[in-house]
């Protein structure tokens, strides 16, 4: 039996971050992965989808080149070439990550692992004992009762990232982050797109003002959507997929993408048998990612925190540092930056107006329209920076819509997490002309000294 300080089950964002940091702190580490190191984010999530979105942006820029006085003609999308570009990015990052794990002396074990004792994981008949076991088995795409994924006409993101042609038409079931990103890609590639969302808004976890701006932008782009109405049934035929909604409306398309959320990978892995507390398949942990069983930890999409790669990284690092006795600060999940990488992008950190009010804050709001921002005009993008703040207190939330606003989160998250007040940020100088000036201008306005703002 091999013995380690830390045995990690699952080599995705949460698992490998924990492995790298544990090794850095001098702990002996085994990292067990049955598929590919890097997990969902690298192979089926963040990276491939953002490559597709970038290809879509290039297509849109080509279509609109004449708006900038450039003569170019959009002809078509060559999906095989798009996939080659996308896979090239993934493969380069995958090789880099493999090298990193090797160079940090992490023992990498390939195969399906199962928790067979409180500190033992079994892989291919061999047992690995850890003073600590970190569970990081991630998540899978869910579907709805009675809706069978056939992988061809009714698909999830797993198949969508590998499609070898541009579908003529697509119905996207679910207007959350993943659904909205694929809707954006396919529209840019030339598909007819309809999103169906049961909640009243697209990206419904965002501040309502951001959702409404995204909806306006999507309407302008010709992306159709039905909000506040639930899916009833879907049938397939040679002509495509027919979807019926509970209000009786019927839609037909070549493909139906099911993007109704992701569930934890926790069945048949020995978790129940070892007495781990679970809720709807998620492992329940405390604020240091400890399960109820001493020595067993859980991170990433397997626990009911935000399903984001950088949350997995942060939780993996937290656990490694806690095991090493560094007593790290618990994660403030309000302070996690969130981006929907659609066109336009939606980015936020901190509380929405509704959440801030619910928590009893006396809230002030400030909307800075990107119409007043030079760089936004150069890029021909529309959107805004919205601040939610406590009256005479710190900024509680920053909500942004527009091209490339995801990059502005670097500053926005510092403002939120350092509990800055508008006057603190107003004193900082932003380079002109950049989109980041919009963040500066919003704080100038909230501090009572607006510069390029009307009204
Ligand atoms: C389409 C899509 C787009 C996304 N885009 C973004 C984005 O832009 N930004 C962002 O932050 N997040 C994004 N995400 C979410 C992000 O991918 C996940 O939050 C992240 O991958 C979670 O990491 P994890 O380590 O918890 O799980 P995973 O990455 O799923 O890794 C779990 C690993 O465990 C392995 N495993 C499972 N069971 C076993 C077993 N029994 N034995 C051995 N190995 C096992 C799996 O093979 C897998 O590699 C996206 C997700 C999807 C699906």
């Amino acid at each position: 039996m091999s013995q380690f300080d830390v045995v990690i089950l699952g080599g995705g964002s949460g698992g490998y971050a924990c492995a790298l940091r544990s090794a850095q702190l001098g702990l002996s580490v085994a990292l067990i992965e049955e598929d590919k190191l890097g997990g969902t984010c690298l192979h089926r999530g963040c990276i491939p989808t953002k490559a597709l979105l970038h290809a879509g942006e290039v297509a849109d820029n080509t279509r609109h080149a004449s708006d900038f006085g450039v003569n170019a003609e959009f002809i078509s999308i060559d999906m095989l070439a798009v996939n080659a570009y996308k896979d090239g990015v993934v493969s380069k990052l995958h090789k880099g990550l493999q090298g990193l794990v090797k160079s940090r002396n992490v023992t990498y074990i390939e195969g399906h692992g199962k928790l067979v004792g409180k500190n033992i994981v079994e892989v291919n008949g061999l047992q690995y004992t850890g003073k600590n076991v970190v569970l990081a088995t991630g998540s899978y795409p869910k579907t709805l009762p009675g809706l069978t994924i056939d992988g061809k006409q009714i698909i999830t993101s797993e198949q969508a990232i590998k499609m070898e042609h541009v579908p003529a038409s697509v119905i996207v079931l679910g207007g959350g982050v993943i659904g909205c990103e694929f809707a954006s890609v396919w529209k840019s590639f030339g598909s007819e797109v309809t999103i169906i969302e049961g909640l009243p808004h697209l990206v419904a976890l965002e501040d309502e003002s951001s959702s409404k701006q995204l909806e306006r932008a999507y309407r302008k782009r010709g992306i159709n959507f039905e909000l506040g109405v639930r899916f009833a049934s879907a049938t397939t035929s040679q002509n495509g997929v027919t979807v019926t909604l509970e209000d009786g409306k019927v839609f037909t398309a070549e493909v139906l993408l099911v993007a109704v959320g992701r569930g934890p990978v926790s069945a048949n892995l020995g978790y129940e048998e070892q007495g781990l507390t679970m809720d709807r398949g998620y492992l329940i942990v405390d604020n240091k990612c400890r399960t109820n069983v001493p020595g067993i930890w859980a991170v990433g999409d397997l626990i009911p925190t935000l399903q984001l790669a950088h949350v997995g990284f942060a939780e993996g690092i937290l656990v490694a540092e806690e095991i090493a006795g560094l007593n790290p600060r618990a994660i403030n999940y309000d302070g996690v930056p969130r981006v929907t990488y659609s066109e336009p992008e939606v980015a936020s950190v901190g509380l929405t107006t509704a959440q801030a009010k619910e928590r009893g804050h006396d809230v002030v709001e400030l909307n800075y329209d990107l119409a007043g921002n030079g760089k936004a005009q150069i890029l021909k993008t529309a959107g805004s920076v919205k601040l939610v703040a406590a009256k005479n207190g710190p900024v509680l939330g920053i909500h942004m819509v527009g091209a490339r606003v995801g990059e502005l989160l670097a500053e926005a998250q510092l403002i939120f997490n350092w509990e800055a007040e508008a006057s603190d940020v107003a004193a900082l100088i932003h380079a002109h002309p950049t989109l980041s000036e919009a963040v500066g201008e919003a704080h100038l306005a909230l501090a009572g000294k607006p510069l390029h703002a009307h009204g």
Side-chain angles (χ1 to χ4, degrees):
M1 193 188 299
S2 312
Q3 306 221 353
F4 295 87
D5 293 323
V6 191
V7 170
I8 303 168
L9 184 57
S13 310
Y16 82 70
C18 187
L20 293 175
R21 184 71 181 124
S22 298
Q24 204 170 49
L25 291 168
L27 301 166
S28 60
V29 186
L31 179 62
I32 301 161
E33 171 56 54
E34 66 182 351
D35 189 5
K36 285 186 192 154
L37 177 65
T40 305
C41 169
L42 179 52
H43 301 283
R44 301 175 292 281
C46 325
I47 300 296
T49 52
K50 268 77 261 181
L52 292 176
L53 280 153
H54 184 64
E57 187 183 337
V58 174
D60 286 334
N61 284 342
T62 312
R63 278 189 193 95
H64 300 131
S66 64
D67 296 351
F68 303 88
V70 176
N71 296 324
E73 194 188 347
F74 174 78
I75 300 168
S76 65
I77 299 289
D78 174 351
M79 270 320 288
L80 296 184
V82 169
N83 286 335
Y85 148 68
K86 175 199 72 183
D87 296 343
V89 175
V90 171
S91 155
K92 197 169 170 196
L93 292 171
H94 185 208
K95 280 203 187 86
L97 186 58
Q98 286 171 312
L100 203 55
V101 164
K102 209 169 169 191
S103 72
R104 297 260 177 102
N105 288 326
V106 170
T107 302
Y108 186 69
I109 297 153
E110 281 181 282
H112 179 78
K114 190 170 175 180
L115 195 62
V116 294
K118 296 216 186 314
N119 59 350
I120 307 171
V121 179
E122 190 171 289
V123 188
N124 302 326
L126 296 175
Q127 296 198 335
Y128 300 87
T129 304
K131 285 185 198 143
N132 296 275
V133 171
V134 182
L135 303 174
T137 43
S139 63
Y140 69 95
K142 288 197 292 198
T143 184
L144 297 177
L147 184 57
T148 308
I149 307 297
D150 64 19
K152 292 194 169 68
Q153 289 175 294
I154 303 181
I155 63 174
T156 68
S157 60
E158 307 262 320
Q159 292 90 33
I161 50 156
K162 292 190 203 140
M163 277 185 80
E164 292 185 349
H165 73 286
V166 176
S169 53
V170 191
I171 298 168
V172 177
L173 186 58
V177 177
I178 293 177
C180 283
E181 289 187 354
F182 275 106
S184 190
V185 168
W186 276 319
K187 186 67 197 178
S188 299
F189 285 178
S191 309
E192 180 69 26
V193 181
T194 303
I195 306 173
I196 291 160
E197 169 57 56
L199 294 171
H201 287 294
L202 296 179
V203 289
L205 294 182
E206 294 291 344
D207 193 274
E208 198 178 15
S209 66
S210 296
S211 295
K212 285 183 174 164
Q213 287 180 75
L214 181 68
E215 288 158 17
R216 209 174 306 136
Y218 270 20
R219 219 171 277 127
K220 225 170 143 191
R221 288 185 65 192
I223 296 175
N224 310 308
F225 47 86
E226 295 286 321
L227 302 176
V229 57
R230 282 158 48 142
F231 162 89
S233 65
T235 53
T236 56
S237 72
Q238 276 178 338
N239 301 328
V241 190
T242 300
V243 171
T244 306
L245 306 186
E246 280 186 350
D247 64 4
K249 278 193 190 152
V250 176
F251 297 87
T252 301
E254 184 185 326
V255 171
L256 169 63
L257 171 71
V258 181
V260 294
R262 296 177 63 83
V265 173
S266 58
N268 307 318
L269 295 177
Y271 297 172
E272 288 101 338
E273 290 84 336
Q274 298 308 323
L276 292 167
T277 303
M278 294 166 80
D279 179 20
R280 289 163 299 133
Y282 290 101
L283 288 188
I284 301 306
V285 295
D286 69 5
N287 67 354
K288 293 285 178 84
C289 295
R290 288 185 200 95
T291 68
N292 60 309
V293 175
I296 304 186
W297 313 71
V299 298
D301 285 7
L302 181 60
I303 64 174
T305 52
L306 287 167
Q307 291 178 327
L308 291 169
H310 43 286
V311 170
F313 296 150
E315 290 168 346
I317 292 168
L318 178 88
V319 167
E321 295 188 349
E322 188 67 27
I323 290 172
L326 300 187
N327 193 23
R329 214 188 305 172
I331 295 167
N332 172 8
Y333 288 96
D334 291 336
V336 172
R338 310 163 294 250
V339 189
T340 303
Y341 297 86
S342 42
E343 168 44 43
E345 289 185 348
V346 178
S348 64
V349 63
L351 308 182
T352 64
T353 297
Q355 287 168 333
K357 285 183 179 164
E358 264 165 41
R359 295 196 197 174
H361 292 287
D362 190 0
V363 171
V364 286
E365 294 180 335
L366 187 286
N367 279 296
Y368 183 79
D369 195 316
L370 289 187
N373 177 268
K375 182 69 185 215
Q377 294 315 299
I378 291 164
L379 295 174
K380 288 184 180 284
T381 189
S384 68
V385 174
K386 173 180 167 178
L387 304 182
V388 178
K391 199 170 179 188
N392 303 317
V395 175
L396 300 172
I398 302 179
H399 305 275
M400 302 178 286
V401 179
R404 304 184 189 177
V405 294
E407 301 297 337
L408 305 184
L409 274 178
E411 179 177 14
Q413 66 136 331
L414 291 181
I415 294 169
F416 174 81
N417 286 300
W418 273 344
E419 298 174 18
E421 296 194 8
S423 54
D424 299 323
V425 186
L428 303 173
I429 299 169
H430 292 77
H432 178 73
T434 59
L435 281 177
S436 73
E437 277 181 297
V439 175
E441 293 267 359
H443 288 84
L444 279 168
L446 189 61
K449 43 181 193 174
L451 185 60
H452 300 96
H454 297 277

